[in-house]
Amino acid sequence: MSKTRIEWIDLVRAIAILTVLYIHSVDGIYIISSNAIVNLTMISRIFQYASLFIGRIGVPFFLMITGYLLLDRTYNDEKVMKFWTKNCKKLIIVTIFWAVVYAFSITFIASNTTTISPVSAGNLYFSHMWYMPMIIGMYLSLPFVSAALEKFNEKTILQATTVFSLLAFMLPFISLLCDMHGIQNVTIQYCLGFSGGIYGVYIILGYLNKKEMFKGISSKLLGLVAIISWIICIYFQYYSFVKGYNFFLWYEFPFILTGSFALFELVSRIEKVRCFKVVTILSKYSFAVFLIHNLFRIPLLPVVIKSPFPEPVEALILWILLIICSYVAAAIIYRIPRIGKYVLYM
């Protein structure tokens, strides 16, 4: 199998899903703790802030993989229709199916537990479903983006991506800084047209990685960028907390972009992945696990939250349980004759 697969891509995909499960575990524990008005220690808060950066690299990794694998292709009318049928049509059906499953799950949980309110249950259950319409929209546009990229030199594409990144990431960051320091209603108007916004930038970066546009950057510098980005994200969250400003770390934050890209580029330089058989399994079921893991998060939360451990330990326990349950369930569902692989979009 290692001869027919790109090993480091499987590694990135495995890391991406594990970080998604990790941040959902951390979020679950801290949301319940906040509802219970628990006074978090400084160590616990720093753990939460550090974890948010780790968890936020998952989606950029998935998007950069998409750009790496799907943008460097030639599409015609026939291939576009096949691509849409294979990816978009089936993905829409899968999205609707799992939305219905989660809707019934919320009703069941809300009527059988007092630990988690219906509103919290809904937020936790659907916390990952925003990704589905976003990636469907990206898939619809990918053939046209790919055709456009064929017409231009990689350096031109890099220059355009740099400008788009400054518009999509730095201008909102400037507005955020102004708002935090009492300068209200500073809105900088800009329009990225058909670029795909911040998610489109991540996809294009994956494409540029395949074109080896960043090979001149040393691995040491990339590692330094990743570490500095992580520290800035932690500090910015803590600074916002001290100032009493409601800040939510999301994918438009510029240091999520720099940190996730630096790590993606670093992993892409790995020639031989250790324990590749394990990595392959983690990668194979990654999207299936993404779809189903929240079915286990809610039932596990009340159990884990009653443990005598502090929040960081509870989050790690929940993460491990979530990995085990989600992968076992995905493997079982996948083996259901005729429907398993379609329900999991495998």
Side-chain angles (χ1 to χ4, degrees):
M1 183 173 290
S2 61
K3 294 181 179 179
T4 59
R5 301 182 68 88
I6 304 174
E7 293 192 11
W8 71 266
I9 286 287
D10 276 338
L11 178 59
V12 171
R13 191 179 285 114
I15 293 172
I17 188 59
L18 291 178
T19 57
V20 168
L21 297 183
Y22 178 71
I23 192 57
H24 286 175
S25 300
V26 174
D27 275 348
I29 294 297
Y30 279 85
I31 286 174
I32 301 302
S33 297
S34 297
N35 291 343
I37 318 178
V38 174
N39 294 320
L40 301 178
T41 65
M42 180 62 67
I43 294 177
S44 184
R45 289 195 182 278
I46 296 300
F47 172 84
Q48 181 188 19
Y49 299 152
S51 296
L52 278 170
F53 174 85
I54 296 171
R56 290 289 181 260
I57 70 174
V59 167
F61 273 15
F62 279 130
L63 293 173
M64 285 186 270
I65 290 173
T66 298
Y68 185 96
L69 295 176
L70 298 181
L71 279 183
D72 190 23
R73 295 183 180 184
T74 300
Y75 295 90
N76 54 32
D77 290 336
E78 182 180 357
K79 289 182 178 179
V80 168
M81 296 308 298
K82 287 183 178 179
F83 178 80
W84 283 346
T85 301
K86 179 181 179 181
N87 294 281
C88 299
K89 181 180 177 181
K90 293 180 180 178
L91 197 54
I92 291 171
I93 295 173
V94 168
T95 301
I96 295 173
F97 172 82
W98 283 101
V100 172
V101 170
Y102 280 117
F104 279 106
S105 300
I106 291 172
T107 303
F108 176 79
I109 289 296
S111 60
N112 287 276
T113 182
T114 57
T115 305
I116 303 172
S117 68
V119 174
S120 294
N123 291 336
L124 291 171
Y125 263 128
F126 285 101
S127 61
H128 69 313
M129 293 301 286
W130 68 269
Y131 181 84
M132 305 303 287
M134 182 274 290
I135 198 62
I136 290 171
M138 291 296 170
Y139 276 8
L140 287 170
S141 304
L142 277 176
F144 303 108
V145 177
S146 178
L149 293 177
E150 288 183 340
K151 308 295 183 181
F152 298 98
N153 182 277
E154 285 82 6
K155 291 184 179 180
T156 302
I157 298 170
L158 177 59
Q159 292 172 354
T161 304
T162 302
V163 174
F164 287 153
S165 299
L166 291 173
L167 290 172
F169 292 87
M170 290 307 299
L171 292 187
F173 181 60
I174 293 172
S175 298
L176 174 64
L177 288 176
C178 291
D179 192 50
M180 285 182 64
H181 293 87
I183 306 175
Q184 304 293 328
N185 301 319
V186 177
T187 302
I188 304 174
Q189 297 292 332
Y190 64 95
C191 179
L192 296 180
F194 296 99
S195 69
I198 61 172
Y199 306 113
V201 170
Y202 286 115
I203 290 176
I204 296 296
L205 286 174
Y207 168 84
L208 290 173
N209 170 274
K210 190 170 188 177
K211 296 300 181 180
E212 300 185 346
M213 292 299 296
F214 309 105
K215 295 303 180 185
I217 304 176
S218 70
S219 296
K220 289 183 179 180
L221 179 58
L222 289 170
L224 183 62
V225 169
I227 293 172
I228 292 175
S229 298
W230 187 28
I231 293 173
I232 291 175
C233 286
I234 295 172
Y235 175 77
F236 199 86
Q237 291 175 93
Y238 178 74
Y239 180 70
S240 301
F241 169 74
V242 171
K243 289 187 66 66
Y245 186 85
N246 186 22
F247 169 71
F248 184 66
L249 187 67
W250 197 244
Y251 303 105
E252 79 277 3
F253 196 65
F255 299 100
I256 294 295
L257 173 70
T258 56
S260 61
F261 167 70
L263 291 171
F264 183 85
E265 178 67 29
L266 278 173
V267 178
S268 73
R269 300 180 182 187
I270 297 176
E271 296 181 359
K272 187 67 176 178
V273 175
R274 296 181 180 180
C275 304
F276 185 59
K277 289 184 178 180
V278 176
V279 170
T280 302
I281 295 173
L282 294 174
S283 175
K284 175 183 177 180
Y285 290 101
S286 60
F287 194 72
V289 166
F290 176 81
L291 288 171
I292 69 176
H293 74 277
N294 266 347
L295 288 176
F296 299 99
R297 184 162 64 145
I298 301 293
L300 289 171
L301 263 172
V303 178
V304 176
I305 205 73
K306 292 178 181 178
S307 69
F309 304 109
E311 293 84 13
V313 178
E314 289 178 344
L316 293 174
I317 292 173
L318 180 60
W319 180 47
I320 294 171
L321 292 175
L322 207 53
I323 291 172
I324 295 171
C325 293
S326 300
Y327 271 94
V328 170
I332 292 172
I333 295 173
Y334 177 70
R335 285 162 175 77
I336 298 176
R338 296 185 181 181
I339 67 169
K341 65 179 182 179
Y342 298 105
V343 167
L344 298 178
Y345 191 68
M346 293 179 66

